Amino acid sequence: MTNIKAFNSKESIQQQASVWISRIDRGLSPDETQQLALWANNSESHRQILFDLAQTWDDMSALNELKGLMPLNKLATTTQKNKRSVHLALAASVAFMLFSVMSWLMFNSNQVGENDIMISQLVTSVGEQKPVTLQDGSVVYLNTNSELRVNFSSRTRQINLLRGEALFEVAHDKERPFIVSAAGNTVTAVGTAFNVQLIDDEHFELLVTEGKVLLQNMQENQTIEQPIGQNPLDAKQGGTLLTAGQKALVAQDSAQSATLSIEQIQNELAWRQGVVVFDGEPLINALTEISRYVAVNFDFDDEKLKEQRVAGYFKAGDLDGLLAALSNNFNIRYKKVDDNTILLFSAI
């Protein structure tokens, strides 16, 4: 037996503390409870970093657990060093807490180890929209009923859009390309901004608002990892290079692109302000878009009504406002068949 203790760096203690926070959140076994008590009471640094980490991410369950494990005098010493009130903390969801802890560690270490992989799942429900800051400082704005999987390593930043729509504002990192995969294709960027809306399993819409991105077919480009030092936007790799102001409808083996005006781009991204904009689209197309924000199906008593052109600004999720606008501006009446179905018919 030896009395020599191994020296742990601050980064090492932070990593150990983050593991304990995640274990506390999912529930400790009796053995783990004892191990945590020994680890926390091993040094003042352990207690300080563990408590700071719990408070940083507002994890009330972790704070309560620590209060029970740490002697009161040691806990009081720790809390005096941190002037923020525990009573102001808001309990976070399990997924968000774990994601945030890993983000915090990444920012403090400024790098990811060669074999480290950080994975998280981001989801919004019908009618919900939210921004999320990723580990590298990139920001993802999720639209209604969306889901994506984040997979970061030391070589790449990979996102898999599983459903819905997201706007990506990518932090510049030429060593780690930012890759979004959807419907059999990938969109690669270093530092830029672009919007991706998944239409179905084989199609998505891509709008580049800043910088440039490389669009590639995954079947033709099996290896997503980029060689170190190689420009991920090098057109020699194959694929289609899109620049700011361009929009493309992407299928697995083709992409139809067009250049949009500033007004058209603003209309495309109006969902960020909770607004849906139509500019002469057929009613059936407009209602398909509206249905993304409300759990309602629309039926028609006349097939011709589907092709009536509509234009205007509608608040996303405001079903009553939409029905009133259809009645007042387009002579389209409605009848609620049940809680989830609305029948539309012409008043003329």
Side-chain angles (χ1 to χ4, degrees):
M1 182 177 293
T2 177
N3 293 325
I4 299 176
K5 293 184 178 180
F7 174 78
N8 288 319
S9 66
K10 182 178 179 180
E11 289 76 13
S12 176
I13 297 175
Q14 289 170 346
Q15 292 174 353
Q16 294 170 27
S18 70
V19 172
W20 280 118
I21 292 293
S22 67
R23 290 174 179 173
I24 290 171
D25 194 84
R26 54 99 164 132
L28 295 176
S29 67
D31 288 342
E32 288 175 329
T33 300
Q34 185 176 13
Q35 292 171 17
L36 173 57
L38 292 173
W39 184 89
N41 290 298
N42 186 56
S43 73
E44 177 67 21
S45 296
H46 285 194
R47 293 192 297 275
Q48 180 68 56
I49 291 177
L50 185 64
F51 189 80
D52 285 349
L53 197 57
Q55 277 199 312
T56 296
W57 303 116
D58 297 333
D59 188 63
M60 294 299 295
S61 62
L63 292 170
N64 290 332
E65 187 74 24
L66 297 183
K67 182 177 180 181
L69 289 171
M70 292 186 188
L72 291 178
N73 60 331
K74 293 182 179 180
L75 183 59
T77 300
T78 303
T79 56
Q80 288 173 0
K81 294 181 179 180
N82 194 326
K83 295 182 180 180
R84 291 175 301 174
S85 172
V86 176
H87 299 292
L88 297 178
L90 299 176
S93 66
V94 175
F96 184 77
M97 189 280 296
L98 294 177
F99 181 76
S100 300
V101 168
M102 297 310 294
S103 301
W104 185 80
L105 288 176
M106 186 174 184
F107 279 126
N108 280 272
S109 63
N110 293 320
Q111 62 181 2
V112 178
E114 183 175 355
N115 297 319
D116 290 344
I117 298 178
M118 298 182 179
I119 301 175
S120 60
Q121 203 90 356
L122 305 179
V123 180
T124 54
S125 57
V126 174
E128 180 186 13
Q129 298 172 331
K130 68 179 178 182
V132 178
T133 300
L134 303 182
Q135 298 100 322
D136 65 333
S138 298
V139 180
V140 180
Y141 299 90
L142 281 81
N143 200 359
T144 175
N145 194 23
S146 300
E147 179 180 4
L148 55 82
R149 182 178 176 85
V150 181
N151 187 337
F152 279 14
S153 72
S154 62
R155 297 286 298 278
T156 62
R157 298 170 288 173
Q158 298 182 22
I159 308 287
N160 185 10
L161 182 61
L162 303 176
R163 72 172 188 271
E165 181 176 17
L167 173 65
F168 302 91
E169 294 181 354
V170 182
H172 185 79
D173 186 347
K174 65 180 180 181
E175 300 298 329
R176 292 196 303 156
F178 191 98
I179 303 171
V180 176
S181 60
N185 289 269
T186 64
V187 180
T188 303
V190 174
T192 185
F194 57 94
N195 191 85
V196 179
Q197 180 183 348
L198 191 61
I199 306 301
D200 53 39
D201 291 341
E202 298 181 352
H203 302 83
F204 68 88
E205 287 186 346
L206 169 65
L207 172 61
V208 183
T209 60
E210 181 182 331
K212 58 184 178 181
V213 302
L214 180 65
L215 177 64
Q216 293 176 295
N217 186 287
M218 286 193 292
Q219 297 302 319
E220 298 174 359
N221 301 274
Q222 296 293 334
T223 304
I224 294 180
E225 296 272 353
Q226 301 291 335
I228 295 177
Q230 181 173 336
N231 183 357
L233 300 186
D234 189 346
K236 294 179 181 179
Q237 298 181 56
T240 302
L241 199 63
L242 297 177
T243 58
Q246 288 189 297
K247 178 183 178 181
L249 176 61
V250 183
Q252 289 190 348
D253 56 358
S254 65
Q256 301 175 355
S257 62
T259 300
L260 304 186
S261 66
I262 295 178
E263 181 180 2
Q264 288 174 318
I265 294 175
Q266 291 175 340
N267 290 344
E268 291 279 342
L269 300 181
W271 64 265
R272 284 282 317 282
Q273 284 72 48
V275 175
V276 181
V277 182
F278 302 117
D279 187 21
E281 288 89 341
L283 179 59
I284 183 63
N285 293 355
L287 294 180
T288 298
E289 179 68 14
I290 291 293
S291 294
R292 297 173 58 204
Y293 300 87
V294 292
V296 170
N297 298 317
F298 295 94
D299 287 338
F300 301 83
D301 74 338
D302 186 348
E303 290 296 311
K304 294 181 180 179
L305 198 58
K306 294 181 178 180
E307 302 305 317
Q308 181 167 335
R309 301 283 174 168
V310 295
Y313 293 75
F314 300 90
K315 184 177 180 181
D318 183 7
L319 181 59
D320 292 337
L322 169 69
L323 295 174
L326 291 178
S327 177
N328 296 332
N329 301 323
F330 303 100
N331 291 316
I332 298 174
R333 302 290 188 262
Y334 69 92
K335 176 182 179 182
K336 293 186 178 181
V337 179
D338 54 44
D339 291 340
N340 300 313
T341 306
I342 294 177
L343 177 66
L344 299 177
F345 54 93
S346 175
I348 300 176

